[in-house]
Amino acid sequence: MVARTGLYAVLAVNAAVVSAFFVQAGFASNALIVLGRLTGLYAALLMAFQLLLVARLPWFDRRIGMDRLTSWHRWVGFSVLWLLVAHAVFITFGYAESSSLDPVSQLVDLAETVEGVLRAVVALALIIVVGVVSARSARRRLAYETWHFIHLYTYVAVVLAFTHQVAAGTTFTTSSVAKTYWYLLWGAALTAVFTGRLVLPLWRNLRHQLRVSAVVPESDNVVSIHITGRDLHRLPARAGQFFLWRFLTRDRWWQANPFSLSTAPDGTHLRLTAKTAGDGTAALRHLKVGTRVFAEGPYGAFTAMHRTRPDALLIAGGVGITPIRALLEELHGHAVLIYRVAADRDAVLYDELRELAHAKGAQLHLITGPATPDRLAAGELTSLVPDLTDRDVYVCGPPGMTTAVLRTLRGLGVPKQQIHFERFSLAG
């Protein structure tokens, strides 16, 4: 809560500062140009804020979580897109209103005669492309690697937009204080990305030298990968978190997939358990012992760090059991684990869960059957766990199941601060 409030406050303060610089720079006589400049400044501010959201800084990630940061990233990204479109439209039509040119000719004239405008046009085109492929309908049709590669062009757009702002932005050209502010803002944002996305992962992997130590099939379509390395007791990983894993083989080194830890870190080895849903994950079965591993992380706020009650209810669906199994190992106090699967054969790691639940004095409920009727509805949950409103509740599974369970928990009056969840797309 403190981290979220802090981010909101930082954004609000910077929005006020940007507005003050805008007023200080003076207004144009044309209202459309005024609106164009203002939307451009807010777009620049949100682009810098967007860089902070994607920087994967450990302090923010542990407190806010990749799920929520990813959601904010999506909304901020589309806000940037529409603000930039508005900026281009207002500026073009505003100048066209003051000249004898039509809007298209006016845009061409600005690109040819005003320094930095052509770079801004290219930046806007790149962001539009990224926005189109990020729409859910398009995203479902693209492989993750293709989408991610296209998404990297956002960084090119950021650099082009910044150089446009330096060359043509009124706050840069009319105020040395504002110019210093913008340089510091962009510098801090880019430093955060450089540190979180490049320096920290490289340093941790050089330090820990991760390698595959065992490959264990758990079922026909699920496999566990055991990983060892140096000084793993210094790796700040917790049960419930995940890494982006790259297995450095000839055909997989360029693929990164998010998989949760399926055991609590013990300082000597790590384990991930993955469902082999496609060609990339199916190849995990054929990894050789000794394969080098490059891991980014740990990520996620789905940990015991945010507990508010001594007892817990853990609800897992499908392979979402992996972070839940790790959490059960780490949690203290009484725990109830509800594991929802379509059939008994889909209950991954069930033998481990039974042994672990017995050792910790936890209750384990395996619920099988089709999606309807809802076996995790309000009546069923309160029957299994009468005191669930007095527990922290951890939920991890497919998006549909997670959404339904969260709705049920809120309907039952479970306080929001006691509900912790991770989407299947990041957990499995």
Side-chain angles (χ1 to χ4, degrees), residues 8-26 37-38 41-42 44-45 165 170-172 174-186:
Y8 294 148
V10 167
L11 183 59
V13 168
N14 279 276
V17 171
V18 168
S19 299
F21 287 142
F22 170 74
V23 173
Q24 183 186 45
R37 289 174 178 173
L38 187 60
L41 287 173
Y42 286 150
L45 174 61
Q165 187 181 14
T170 53
T171 55
F172 264 89
T174 60
S175 170
S176 59
V177 175
K179 183 183 295 186
T180 301
Y181 163 82
W182 281 109
Y183 273 119
L184 289 174
L185 180 70
W186 282 106

Side-chain angles (χ1 to χ4, degrees), residues 257-278:
N257 295 103
F259 298 122
S260 290
L261 298 174
S262 57
T263 58
D266 62 1
T268 62
H269 86 291
L270 305 171
R271 188 184 77 173
L272 64 97
T273 300
K275 185 175 182 180
T276 54

Side-chain angles (χ1 to χ4, degrees), residues 137-149:
S137 57
R139 178 70 182 87
R140 285 193 292 265
R141 292 179 171 85
L142 291 174
Y144 171 81
E145 290 79 15
T146 303
W147 172 84
H148 185 260
F149 179 78

Side-chain angles (χ1 to χ4, degrees), residues 201-268:
L202 285 174
W203 178 75
R204 282 182 174 166
N205 281 274
L206 285 171
R207 181 181 195 179
H208 297 298
Q209 299 289 311
L210 302 175
R211 291 183 182 273
V212 173
S213 60
V215 179
V216 180
E218 303 289 355
S219 69
D220 291 341
N221 62 349
V222 176
V223 62
S224 289
I225 311 296
H226 297 251
I227 294 169
T228 57
R230 298 188 314 195
D231 299 328
L232 290 185
H233 62 285
R234 297 182 180 276
L235 182 66
R238 297 196 62 171
Q241 292 189 303
F242 69 95
F243 290 77
L244 294 175
W245 303 94
R246 294 177 188 269
F247 297 96
L248 305 184
T249 62
R250 185 178 301 174
D251 57 342
R252 284 193 56 87
W253 64 268
W254 52 276
Q255 293 181 323
N257 295 103
F259 298 122
S260 290
L261 298 174
S262 57
T263 58
D266 62 1
T268 62

